[in-house]
Amino acid sequence: MPVAEIMGFAEGVAAAVRDGDPVALEGFTHLVPHAAGHELIRQGRRALTLVRLTPDVLAGLVNRYVAGASGLPFAVLRGYAGTGLEGRSEHLARTTCPFTGEGPTAVAAISPDAAVIHAQRADREGNVQLWRIVGIQNEAVLAATRALVTVEEVVGGLEPVPGGIVPPTWAVTAVAVAPGGAHPSYVAGYSERDNDFYVAW
């Protein structure tokens, strides 16, 4: 089974993201991969399609990532029923449950070519550990063809953390050390949110 390669930061970004890729850059309140986004700009990546979750569109995109991570062509949810959005998006369609006859909305799976997330740490085998407020990072990594995880540090072993998740090494293409890689976002246990930066911006 493949394992993640630990590599330099710029090299990791180059290995994971190619011109023309749909790319997921995921973090939720903290662990936003800002440094990797800046590196994509420095490397001159072109024609990227950004996939990014925000709190106001949780229902549909989360299910699309979950379907992609599960290797399914679509997921279903009740969230869009009766909103009039069905038929107005190529990614939404009404469906009928074969068991109950209900009419949930089907949402197309999303499987980006690349996913980029930031996490607290990884071990030397490329297993990643993140904790505190966790969004859809694990599903984005599992749904993607290639995945880069930037981390605050690489450690000898991962100690269990309450509420932590561990995207496995076989789902990660590259791990790159990038201390402060979420700034001005924060990294629980490592850094604080830079509110002055957000206000100035």
Side-chain angles (χ1 to χ4, degrees), residues 104-117:
T105 301
V107 289
I110 191 161
S111 299
D113 289 333
V116 180
I117 67 169

Side-chain angles (χ1 to χ4, degrees), residues 35-199:
H38 291 186
E39 183 61 23
L40 287 170
I41 294 166
R42 273 192 294 277
Q43 290 186 11
R45 288 290 176 265
R46 298 283 183 252
L48 301 177
T49 300
L50 178 62
V51 182
R52 178 82 172 99
L53 191 69
T54 60
D56 56 337
V57 292
L58 281 173
L61 192 53
V62 167
N63 284 21
R64 294 184 68 195
Y65 272 133
V66 170
S70 302
L72 297 171
F74 65 92
V76 295
L77 69 159
R78 291 188 174 98
Y80 294 116
T83 63
L85 292 174
E86 303 96 331
R88 290 175 39 196
S89 170
E90 63 191 68
H91 306 293
L92 299 172
R94 291 293 298 215
T95 188
T96 303
C97 174
F99 305 106
T100 66
E102 289 181 74
T105 301
V107 289
I110 191 161
S111 299
D113 289 333
V116 180
I117 67 169
H118 189 72
Q120 280 95 337
R121 57 190 175 209
D123 66 18
R124 292 186 181 98
E125 287 73 47
N127 296 295
V128 174
Q129 188 177 43
L130 57 143
W131 64 89
R132 196 60 77 72
I133 299 173
V134 176
I136 198 73
Q137 294 100 313
N138 198 45
E139 289 79 0
V141 165
L142 290 169
T145 303
R146 297 177 303 281
L148 167 66
V149 182
T150 59
V151 295
E152 294 293 314
E153 63 178 335
V154 173
V155 296
L158 301 178
E159 295 294 324
V161 176
I165 63 169
V166 180
T169 186
W170 55 262
V172 176
T173 306
V175 171
V177 176
H183 183 268
S185 170
Y186 73 98
V187 177
Y190 288 81
S191 64
E192 298 294 321
R193 177 182 160 103
D194 186 346
N195 287 319
D196 292 340
F197 181 96
Y198 280 102
V199 169

